[in-house]
């Protein structure tokens, strides 16, 4: 503005912050500015979605015949998702766009976190050593929790809006607590940072555990004895001035890698693979949908869908006859109740699949008018994605349609075997259930009945065996052998019977069979265990099933930071 001879005085500069009925003020400012050659700044236009078409018209109107010095600057918050993109195309096409990208990588994030402070901040506390050490550790913590998001669900189960306010308020709290206490109140500080300042955003218990674990690793008495590493190869710096800390980051921080977050390098492979799969999926969905011609005498879209539809209808078995099955059992044990529930859920899903496929078949033959639901089903079959109406009645899955349908047939076969004579399979495929929790609860219920123990005083014990499912000929006397689990973030060492570091490029190694039995809660093994979350899919979060305590020789905090979990599907 200075170069053009502008000064930011009230005469030629109008600043309007939108929201709360400021649209009229904005329109008046635009009219005046267009005539007089002033500048207008419109802030937060994302708050006035309904007014944006009027703004577009107003800008179009002043696009010709207005003063040559007239300028409009518009600011908006980034949209959280593509369906929230509300700025009209016309405005976007006629403007010069500038975005303020958040920094990426630990190096940029750590510098940015430190940029919130200055030399005066570092000198304001009488307990200089403690204050500086904890402030730098907080900056590293802030950078880690913000940047860990890029690793998807292995980073955080859910995405949180951590912001610089969390960091600056935490430093104010730190200052007040250090000034008021003769000893550093580590527990209090960790609680305030982890449960209130940052924890206030967190809605998932496993994410809360992760946040708490970072703080336990970064903020503890050892930090003042020069023995604390914020990441492998990155010790907490000693007492320096403000520029010294920035220099230390440049000199000492190792290059960007998952190790800086406590994660295994596989986390990056997984995240990059999923990102590229997503990109290819979008490219595939953008292909033209010309249905009439098969190129060079090739197969048309309709023919492809029809062939797939016929194959699926042919492979789907009859529904389970629940009344007939009930006649076969003498006593409704907890396991048998689970079997019936699973059969009912499977019937609902398979009948929806058959209904929708038969309807589409008639539509393709021209015997029924094609509806939008039938169109969606046709597109899904063609693009190898699971149709929406099936997903609503199914179990969480991240597979494409081909893999999903093969998995469905396996689940049906597993149920058929089990309901053949209702004896528990020698090793149970835990992933084959709509509701794996109900099966795990049934283990506790049947043990509680047998031994007359109160159900609320019981817990599940998980012993990982050294064998695979083929090695078991019959189920155990109590409890169950379960198979088909995978570990993400680490691997299981069958020889030593503990969690150990993953091998590079083995993202989800299979677990041996696990023996699960119910025991009184007070008889739990007191040895070092890592409480490991079990999820249905890599999506984690809402697909949580149970917690299995797994043996570890290393500190369980290592596996918390590495995002180690068991998955029922890869």
């Amino acid at each position: 503005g200075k170069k053009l001879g502008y000064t930011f005085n009230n005469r030629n500069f109008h600043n309007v912050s939108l929201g709360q009925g400021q649209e009229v003020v904005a329109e008046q400012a635009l009219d005046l500015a267009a005539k007089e050659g002033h500048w207008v700044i419109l802030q937060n236009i994302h708050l006035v979605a309904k007014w944006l078409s009027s703004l577009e018209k107003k800008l179009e109107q002043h696009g010709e015949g207005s003063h040559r010095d007239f300028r409009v600057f518009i600011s908006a918050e980034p949209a959280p998702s593509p369906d929230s993109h509300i700025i009209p195309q016309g405005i976007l096409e006629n403007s010069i766009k500038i975005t303020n990208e958040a920094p990426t990588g630990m190096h940029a994030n750590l510098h940015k976190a430190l940029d919130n402070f200055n030399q005066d901040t570092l000198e304001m506390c009488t307990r200089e050593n403690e204050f500086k050490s904890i402030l730098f550790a907080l900056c590293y913590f802030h950078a880690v929790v913000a940047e860990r998001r890029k690793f998807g669900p292995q980073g955080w189960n859910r995405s949180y809006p951590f912001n610089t306010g969390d960091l600056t308020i935490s430093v104010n709290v730190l200052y007040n607590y250090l000034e008021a206490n003769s000893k550093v109140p580590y527990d209090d500080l960790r609680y305030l940072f982890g449960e209130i300042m940052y924890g206030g955003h967190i809605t998932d218990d496993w994410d809360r555990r992760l946040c708490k674990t970072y703080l336990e690793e970064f903020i503890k008495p050892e930090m003042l004895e020069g023995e604390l590493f914020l990441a492998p190869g990155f010790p907490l710096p000693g007492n320096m001035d403000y520029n010294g800390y920035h220099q230390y980051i440049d000199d000492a921080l190792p290059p960007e890698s998952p190790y800086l977050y406590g994660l295994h390098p596989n986390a990056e492979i997984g995240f990059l693979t999923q990102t590229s799969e997503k990109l290819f999926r979008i490219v595939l969905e953008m292909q033209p949908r010309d249905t009439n011609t098969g190129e060079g005498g090739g197969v048309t879209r309709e023919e492809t869908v029809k062939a797939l539809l016929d194959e699926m209808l042919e492979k789907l078995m009859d529904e389970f006859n629940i009344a007939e099955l009930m006649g076969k059992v003498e006593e409704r044990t907890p396991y048998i109740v689970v079997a019936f529930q699973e059969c009912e859920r499977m019937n609902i899903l398979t009948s929806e699949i058959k209904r929708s496929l038969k309807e589409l078949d008639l539509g393709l033959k021209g015997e029924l008018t094609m509806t939008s639901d039938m169109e969606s089903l046709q597109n899904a079959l063609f693009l190898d994605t699971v149709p929406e109406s099936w997903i609503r009645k199914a179990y969480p899955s991240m597979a494409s349609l081909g893999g999903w349908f093969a998995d469905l047939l396996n689940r049906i076969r597993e149920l058929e075997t089990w309901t053949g004579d209702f004896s528990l399979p020698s090793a149970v495929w835990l992933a084959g259930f709509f509701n794996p929790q109900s099966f795990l609860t049934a283990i506790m219920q049947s043990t509680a009945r047998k031994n007359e123990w109160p159900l609320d005083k019981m817990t599940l014990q998980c012993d990982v065996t050294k064998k695979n499912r083929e090695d078991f000929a019959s189920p155990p006397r109590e409890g169950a052998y379960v198979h088909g689990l995978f570990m993400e973030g680490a691997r299981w060492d069958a020889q030593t019977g503990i969690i150990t570091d993953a091998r590079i490029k083995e993202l989800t190694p299979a677990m041996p069979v696990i023996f699960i039995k119910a025991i009184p809660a007070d008889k739990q093994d007191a040895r070092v265990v890592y409480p490991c979350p079990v999820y249905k899919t890599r999506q984690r979060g809402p697909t949580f099933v149970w917690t299995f305590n797994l043996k570890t020789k290393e500190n369980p905090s290592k596996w918390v930071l590495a995002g180690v979990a068991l998955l029922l599907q890869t």
Side-chain angles (χ1 to χ4, degrees):
K2 285 261 171 72
K3 275 188 189 161
L4 298 170
Y6 275 96
T7 54
F8 285 102
N9 60 34
N10 295 334
R11 189 174 54 78
N12 55 17
F13 178 75
H14 309 270
N15 189 355
V16 184
S17 187
L18 287 153
Q20 297 166 339
Q22 292 294 299
E23 297 89 336
V24 176
V25 177
E27 287 183 11
Q28 289 167 349
L30 288 165
D31 291 341
L32 177 64
K35 201 164 102 197
E36 303 291 337
H38 298 172
W39 285 10
V40 179
I41 291 187
L42 303 176
Q43 293 185 49
N44 301 326
I45 65 159
H46 59 281
L47 298 176
V48 286
K50 291 198 174 88
W51 178 68
L52 292 180
S53 57
S54 310
L55 172 64
E56 186 179 12
K57 287 192 192 104
K58 179 72 73 180
L59 292 173
E60 210 174 291
Q61 178 192 326
H62 291 313
E64 287 172 19
S66 58
H67 196 290
R68 71 187 188 88
D69 293 335
F70 170 52
R71 299 285 183 281
V72 181
F73 299 85
I74 297 172
S75 78
E77 287 280 327
S81 61
D83 52 343
S84 311
H85 290 168
I86 53 168
I87 298 173
Q89 199 70 22
I91 295 180
L92 291 172
E93 283 171 0
N94 293 320
S95 60
I96 298 167
K97 290 164 282 299
I98 301 167
T99 61
N100 180 11
E101 290 282 336
T104 58
M106 276 304 292
H107 193 270
N109 269 282
L110 189 47
H111 276 301
K112 190 174 182 225
L114 199 55
D115 286 342
N116 292 293
F117 311 104
N118 52 36
Q119 185 59 32
D120 293 344
T121 320
L122 297 185
E123 290 170 5
M124 75 185 195
C125 187
T126 50
R127 309 277 290 285
E128 191 185 328
N129 242 357
E130 293 94 327
F131 182 70
K132 283 180 167 182
S133 288
I134 298 175
L135 183 140
F136 192 89
L138 269 174
C139 286
Y140 192 86
F141 166 74
H142 178 80
V144 159
V145 298
E147 191 62 5
R148 191 180 164 108
R149 275 186 294 227
K150 72 179 181 188
F151 295 102
Q154 200 179 343
W156 294 101
N157 268 337
R158 295 186 169 87
S159 193
Y160 302 110
F162 299 123
N163 56 61
T164 47
D166 301 325
L167 176 60
T168 50
I169 292 168
S170 294
V171 169
N172 288 337
V173 167
L174 169 65
Y175 167 76
N176 292 332
Y177 266 69
L178 288 183
E179 292 291 339
N181 293 280
S182 55
K183 270 179 146 174
V184 180
Y186 289 101
D187 289 348
D188 294 359
L189 289 171
R190 283 195 302 258
Y191 181 83
L192 287 162
F193 304 151
E195 299 287 340
I196 297 168
M197 306 308 168
Y198 287 83
H201 297 293
I202 297 175
T203 53
D204 178 277
D205 290 344
W206 297 100
D207 288 342
R208 192 172 292 279
R209 175 178 80 163
L210 173 63
C211 177
K212 198 168 155 238
T213 306
Y214 268 130
L215 289 164
E216 282 164 1
E217 293 297 303
F218 293 165
I219 297 176
K220 53 187 176 182
E222 291 88 312
M223 65 195 310
L224 300 176
E225 291 148 30
E227 293 170 13
L228 192 129
F229 281 81
L230 294 168
F234 190 58
L236 182 73
N239 193 335
M240 301 179 180
D241 67 2
Y242 181 70
N243 292 335
Y245 283 126
H246 274 299
Q247 191 59 49
Y248 178 77
I249 296 168
D250 286 337
D251 296 345
L253 186 67
E256 180 68 17
S257 85
Y259 286 125
L260 298 181
Y261 309 83
L263 288 158
H264 187 275
N266 284 351
E268 191 155 50
I269 300 172
F271 145 72
L272 291 172
T273 306
Q274 284 171 43
T275 308
S276 52
E277 279 174 2
K278 206 170 176 181
L279 179 64
F280 286 132
R281 165 71 51 202
I282 291 166
V283 170
L284 177 65
E285 286 172 3
M286 288 169 74
Q287 295 298 308
R289 296 181 181 178
D290 184 6
T291 58
N292 304 326
T293 55
E295 286 196 16
V299 184
T300 66
R301 185 188 175 89
E302 260 92 357
E303 285 165 350
T304 307
V305 170
K306 176 80 173 101
L308 186 59
L309 181 154
D310 289 343
E311 185 192 346
M312 284 181 162
L313 282 172
E314 189 189 326
K315 284 185 177 173
L316 272 177
M317 297 78 157
D318 289 336
E319 282 156 33
F320 290 96
N321 184 334
I322 295 188
E324 190 182 300
L325 291 174
M326 281 185 171
K328 279 172 37 179
V329 302
E330 290 159 24
E331 186 196 353
R332 287 179 67 118
T333 66
Y335 292 128
I336 285 172
V337 170
V338 171
F340 283 145
Q341 285 170 348
E342 290 292 317
C343 290
E344 279 167 8
R345 292 282 298 269
M346 189 56 83
N347 282 353
I348 292 167
L349 174 58
T350 52
S351 65
E352 168 58 25
I353 294 173
K354 285 176 188 167
R355 182 203 65 76
S356 59
L357 289 176
K358 284 173 182 167
E359 182 182 65
L360 176 59
D361 193 26
L362 293 172
L364 292 174
K365 286 175 183 164
E367 292 173 27
L368 269 182
T369 310
M370 288 288 274
T371 63
S372 62
D373 284 349
M374 288 150 78
E375 289 275 357
S376 304
L377 177 59
Q378 184 180 2
N379 286 338
L381 295 181
F382 186 71
L383 295 169
D384 193 30
T385 58
V386 185
E388 199 55 49
S389 74
W390 302 2
I391 290 173
R392 283 198 292 271
K393 294 185 164 46
Y395 29 81
S397 172
M398 294 172 77
S400 58
L401 181 58
W404 184 90
F405 192 74
D407 175 70
L408 171 76
L409 298 179
N410 283 338
R411 287 165 182 258
I412 295 171
R413 271 193 290 275
E414 195 81 4
L415 268 178
E416 282 184 334
T417 307
W418 191 10
T419 53
D421 60 358
F422 284 103
S423 62
L424 199 61
S426 52
V428 175
W429 181 34
L430 196 58
F433 293 104
F434 279 82
N435 185 357
Q437 291 95 317
S438 63
F439 179 75
L440 295 169
T441 306
I443 295 177
M444 294 210 288
Q445 288 169 329
S446 54
T447 309
R449 282 187 191 179
K450 198 168 170 184
N451 299 316
E452 297 183 346
W453 292 341
L455 193 59
D456 59 347
K457 300 270 194 308
M458 294 181 70
T459 187
L460 288 183
Q461 181 175 303
C462 312
D463 291 323
V464 184
T465 70
K466 292 186 177 181
K467 300 174 179 179
N468 293 321
R469 63 179 294 204
E470 300 78 34
D471 304 326
F472 293 91
S474 59
R477 282 207 312 276
E478 265 190 9
Y481 296 124
V482 300
H483 71 90
L485 285 91
F486 304 87
M487 186 174 274
E488 186 174 43
R491 70 184 168 91
W492 183 259
D493 186 330
Q495 293 324 109
T496 51
I498 54 167
I499 307 174
T500 189
D501 286 319
R503 293 190 184 102
I504 202 83
K505 294 187 184 169
E506 286 186 15
L507 303 193
T508 48
M511 291 288 287
V513 167
I514 303 176
F515 174 32
I516 299 181
K517 63 176 180 185
I519 55 165
D522 55 5
K523 295 273 191 299
Q524 275 190 88
D525 196 339
R527 276 179 292 184
V528 184
V529 292
Y530 164 61
C532 183
V534 181
Y535 297 101
K536 291 178 185 173
T537 72
R538 285 197 317 263
Q539 184 195 350
R540 299 195 177 196
T543 71
F544 173 72
V545 176
W546 208 272
T547 308
F548 285 1
N549 288 333
L550 299 177
K551 290 186 185 125
T552 170
K553 276 217 172 75
E554 297 185 71
N555 190 329
S557 64
K558 172 178 175 168
W559 311 121
V560 174
L561 301 187
V564 174
L566 288 173
L567 307 176
L568 297 182
Q569 300 167 41
T570 57

